[in-house]
Amino acid sequence: MTETATIAAALDRYEVVIGLEVHAQLLTRSKMFCPCPADYTSAAPNANTCPVCLGLPGVLPTINQEAVDFTVRTALALHCDIPPFTKFDRKNYFYPDLPKGYQISQYDLPLSVSGHLEFPVGGDAVRCGITRVHLEEDTGTMHHAGDVLQSATSSLIDLNRCGVPLMEIVGEPDLRTPEAAREYLVRLRQILTYIGVNDGNLEKGSFRCDANISLRPRGAQELGVKVEVKNMNSFRAVQRALESEIERQTEVLDAGGTLVQETRGWVEAQGRTISQRSKEQAHDYRYFPEPDLPPLRLDAAFVERVRATLPELPEARAHRFQQQYGLTAYDAAVLTDTRDEADTYEALVAARVPAKLAANWQSGDVAALANEHHVPLQHSGLGIDGLASLLRLVDAGTINGPTAKELLAELYVSGGNPEGLVRDRGLAQVSDTAELSALVDAAITANPAAAADFRAGKQRALGQLMRAVKEATGGKADMPLVNRLLRERLLEQ
Amino acid sequence: MTLSRAEVDHVATLARLGLSDAEKDRLLGELEAILDHIERLQRVDTSTLAETAQVGDLVNVLRADVPEAPIGAAAALRNAPATDGSYFVVGAIQGTELDA
Amino acid sequence: MTPRTITELAAALRDGSTTPRTLLDAALAHVDRTEQDLNAYLAVTRELGYMQADAASHMLEEHPDTASPLCGIPMALKDVLCVDGIDTTAGSKILRGFKPPYTSTAVQRLFDAGAVCVGKTNCDEFAMGSSTENSAYGPVGNPWDIERVPGGSSGGSAATVAAGSVPYSLGSDTGGSIRQPAALTGVVGFKPTYGRISRYGLIAFASSLDQIGPFTRTVEDCALVYTTIAGHDPRDSTSDPRAVDDPLASLHAGVAGMRLGIPREYLGEGTEPGVRDAVQAAFRVLEAQGATLQEVSLPSTDVALSVYYIIAPAECSSNLARYDGVRFGSRVERPSLTDTYLQTRGVGFGNEVKRRVMLGTYALSSGYYDAYYRQAQKVRTLVSQEFEAVFKEVDAIVCPTSPSVAFPMGSRDDPLSMYMCDVVTLPANLAGIPGISVPCGFVDGLPVGLQVIAPRFEDARVMRVAHAYEQATDFHAQLSPYASAAA
């Protein structure tokens, strides 16, 4: 059986229950509990550290206000409740990437609870509950000699990442397929990047995901044994890891075996999960309230102030694009995929580019150029204003489509003023009826066979005549007008 | 209140304290005596009492998100028992952890 | 008369009869002469001291009127206070050789005022103890009888002031670690309201209880040091932003008309008769000054000790997790990381630290949290409520600082009997309220301390009562043999 068929067969017999935990680094300028720069990737190892994030004796944490705001903004985007009282707790465990021997996190009174996320999976709307969104600090990073933890004789520790604000988003076990799990993550990442709190980079680990998965026979009430899966650093890896876990668990259950509650790691190269830690080895984190930080009381005024910073979310924006600009659902989704994309679109429309025209160009040629050059429009030579003036020339009939395409490709890289170039190079479209009629007549005279073929009913023969007129104008002819004039002249004779 | 030797072992492991058998035996007795004394706490009716995690009435003590210069790797590493380049170094991390 | 107090020395520095260098020379010579007996110092900061003395001289020459009263005056710091580039061990082997890359806020404020650092003082390891016998670097002798302990955990800071090496020092008080050694060595020791003095740079024992405070010879000196170091610090989120009352403004206001409460539980069976007599005599002195004394009750005093011995170890078990031999401190290298952790901590920590880490880890561990830690937090609320109720009846509490006078070294090897030392000091830490100890007599040549406790942020009131008592008596002026010899 193919993998897909195996999964489908498994899903016939077992209900799969999946819950996801996402850790997302916040895009603050400084760290969570100290003022060190939060940018940990560009500095030399341990360069972005201070006594606080090094966990030296005697230091104390201070709470980054922006991190609190960002977490509340996220919670509001996920329809969470913001309780009036919240606090930080210590989660105690020993590991070399955790200098204090405890992580400042949140335990029983998180910043937010009881939200949800809605997204489509294969045409159906899926709604997944959000248990909580809380705030904590990231750990440092470790490099193992030989890069294999188990056989390494020593490990190198870099604490630049230590203390970067980290948001934990715990989803309810409402997901039923690996595909739904993937779509949940795609939509969640879209929202986080939209609201400007996270850069959504799975590979670099600024957006990380762990999954809990269990299987139970269809119709059973009781939940199956839960397995936690870690080490998945792409959307594809999440889906594959969960599929592999479904296969593995199905085999065990089908053979009459029982599963053990454990943590398993996804090994990309082997395409399977391997056991990391059993429940018997589970941590006893000894959570208790962080005595170094007074609690937070977030009143309604605070929540409303943060709510006011919340941009229109992608789903709502796509809906509005359909209503306001008459776009198809597909176009609206494409143009609202990222906040930059949607902002660009609305900037074009605001710059008097017709909605449909802007949509076609932005999602077509402009997207292709951005992809080719790895430069988004706003950072290209042309810029949003340049594109708007180019498209206004198209809309006004000043230049034709092919000319616009060529100019776009050139200006995207080199930059320049489209109106000036059209004027200087004489690229304006020839749409004078009298001038074109003369050229049409000349073309018919010069190509009698094609004219005869067309009159005999061969539509394709018109192409040769169109090309003749186009060439005569140096490519600048208003081709729809040429088409009309040719037909009129050929059929009247 | 009786504390078992197994509990002493477990707690020592949680706290990452390498203790000799003699130390564990001694601690077992001492901790039992302290826990016996502390037992009187259980007689206090606390049904109407809130928990005090810290004294004072401070709330919402927040810092503006303004970065300050870090101390740099050289200062960070100055007290370290072992370093490699600008990294801290530790010995082998075994596959299984000790958190029994 | 030899100037001994900050006030006297500040005047001497300004009238030209001495200089910061002369004072430092004398302090260092005195330390050299007495260290063999006292072992009060873990490090003598000669180089730093002379640098600061010279800087202080300039400050005094250029701004004699605006320079701080502390300018040019020698002092010592408990070795739990971080000073940039200066060995800071917290009395522990595990921190041997550790040089912090930063200076604690309270110490920086002293330095900015022109203070001259003589050294880092000996203490119980990580401030855990009541005798300074738990220092990894040997015990401290009590200047009144070197066979006896100076109290603890800030025993070195207390002893060096009592011995007359320096006019003041800083300590830290988590359950009585300033007040109790002050009482046992016959000096003034003050624990301010929790949140008044920044804890940034104080090596943490129990974060919700720790406060820095001064040892001095007089209450007026105490007020001078306190006003220099108190006040909000953005680096300590638990430091209070409210304006600090100037204790000097009300220092001489006296106690006439004040209502003072004597908690009946604080003079219980465990109180030595000599201590009881001295303290009761002190009550009469306060009465003679016009105060009204009345008995009050703090019924939870007995359980407060239990609350303390859950909360303090629980917090310490977490605070001491950072001593893992990875980034600083000593490390016992083993082939595996886990064994390195176990041995580093097993060898690096002393018995009392291990005991409290074990106790705290147990109290927080799965299945015991509710019975121990949560229950302790609730009873802690009760302890605070009882103080609040008492402070509706009286303006301040007066009582012994310690149930006993200085005891012989090695005489309390049972942990519980040692814990009992703090029974009348630790409730103030649980409630976060200020307390001071001021000398109030002697029993067989050993000092006794009178404790004054007031509501939160009434630090000035505590000093006002203590000062009124001090001015009516001369116990504070009596010198230990080491101080008399220096005269």
Side-chain angles (χ1 to χ4, degrees), chain C residues 64-342:
Chain C
D65 300 327
T66 54
S68 159
L70 305 183
C71 186
I73 296 177
M75 57 86 184
L77 302 169
K78 185 178 182 181
D79 204 28
V80 290
L81 292 160
C82 288
V83 180
D84 194 353
I86 301 291
D87 279 40
T88 301
T89 69
S92 181
K93 259 198 291 193
I94 210 163
L95 274 180
R96 191 191 286 275
F98 172 62
K99 291 180 168 62
Y102 75 106
T103 298
S104 70
T105 300
V107 173
Q108 190 60 51
R109 288 182 182 179
L110 289 183
F111 287 178
D112 291 345
V116 176
C117 185
V118 170
K120 305 295 293 291
T121 62
N122 201 351
C123 57
D124 282 307
E125 184 178 8
F126 288 105
M128 296 177 202
S130 308
S131 68
T132 316
E133 291 168 293
N134 297 330
S135 167
Y137 304 99
V140 173
N142 188 322
W144 295 90
D145 175 355
I146 60 167
E147 303 296 314
R148 289 174 185 265
V149 303
S153 62
S154 315
S157 283
T160 192
V161 174
S165 302
V166 289
Y168 78 99
S169 63
L170 291 190
S172 66
D173 189 316
T174 306
S177 282
I178 292 173
R179 291 160 288 159
Q180 183 256 16
L184 269 50
T185 59
V187 298
V188 174
F190 177 47
K191 180 203 93 75
T193 297
Y194 183 84
R196 261 305 175 225
I197 295 175
S198 169
R199 292 183 295 118
Y200 189 77
L202 166 67
I203 295 183
F205 160 16
S207 311
S208 76
L209 303 164
D210 295 341
Q211 264 301 278
I212 294 169
F215 289 93
T216 56
R217 300 208 63 87
T218 65
V219 178
E220 184 180 17
D221 280 3
C222 171
L224 289 172
V225 179
Y226 169 76
T227 39
T228 307
I229 62 177
H232 183 241
D233 175 15
R235 289 184 192 276
D236 176 359
S237 300
T238 65
S239 94
D240 202 283
R242 275 164 271 218
V244 181
D245 288 340
D246 180 6
L248 291 162
S250 56
L251 199 64
H252 303 278
V255 291
M258 274 184 123
R259 299 162 304 164
L260 303 177
I262 304 161
R264 97 171 51 101
E265 297 81 4
Y266 282 25
L267 284 158
E269 282 169 36
T271 313
E272 288 177 359
V275 170
R276 181 180 289 125
D277 292 347
V279 171
Q280 276 169 345
F283 298 157
R284 302 291 86 80
V285 170
L286 287 164
E287 243 169 6
Q289 301 279 302
T292 312
L293 276 84
Q294 66 183 83
E295 192 177 77
V296 294
S297 178
L298 293 164
S300 294
T301 300
D302 173 44
V303 283
L305 185 85
S306 299
V307 171
Y308 179 84
Y309 277 97
I310 289 171
I311 288 175
E315 292 183 7
C316 102
S317 73
S318 175
N319 284 334
L320 268 56
R322 69 190 60 198
Y323 304 99
D324 58 5
V326 175
R327 298 164 317 289
F328 54 82
S330 59
R331 158 150 132 199
V332 180
E333 197 73 59
R334 287 286 179 273
S336 84
L337 176 70
T338 299
D339 286 339
T340 301
Y341 276 155
L342 289 168

Side-chain angles (χ1 to χ4, degrees), chain C residues 430-441:
Chain C
L430 292 175
I433 56 182
I436 198 168
S437 181
V438 61
C440 76

Side-chain angles (χ1 to χ4, degrees), chain A residues 28-35 37 45-51 54 62-66 94-95 142-143 149-150 152-159 277 281-284 286 289-291 293-297, chain B residues 10-11 13-17 51 53-54 57-77 79 83-100:
Chain A
T28 54
R29 294 194 291 151
S30 64
K31 290 186 178 181
M32 182 64 233
F33 297 115
C34 68
N46 292 303
N48 275 2
T49 58
C50 74
L54 289 168
T62 51
I63 303 169
N64 184 338
Q65 158 123 41
E66 188 85 323
F94 287 88
Y95 210 67
M142 295 183 62
H143 307 279
L149 179 63
Q150 272 72 14
T153 52
S154 70
S155 301
L156 305 177
I157 302 159
D158 174 9
L159 298 176
R277 188 168 64 221
Q281 294 166 304
H283 292 287
D284 181 351
R286 290 158 284 138
E290 167 56 274
L293 293 172
L296 301 176
R297 280 190 192 282
Chain B
H10 170 70
V11 173
T13 304
L14 267 184
R16 295 293 186 278
L17 289 175
E51 296 152 33
Q54 47 189 269
D57 49 8
L58 296 177
V59 291
N60 301 349
V61 180
L62 302 165
R63 158 178 62 83
D65 182 29
V66 180
E68 287 175 18
I71 62 168
L77 295 161
N79 282 291
T83 58
D84 182 348
S86 114
Y87 290 98
F88 297 99
V89 180
V90 292
I93 297 170
Q94 312 222 309
T96 42
E97 294 170 49
L98 244 183
D99 282 311

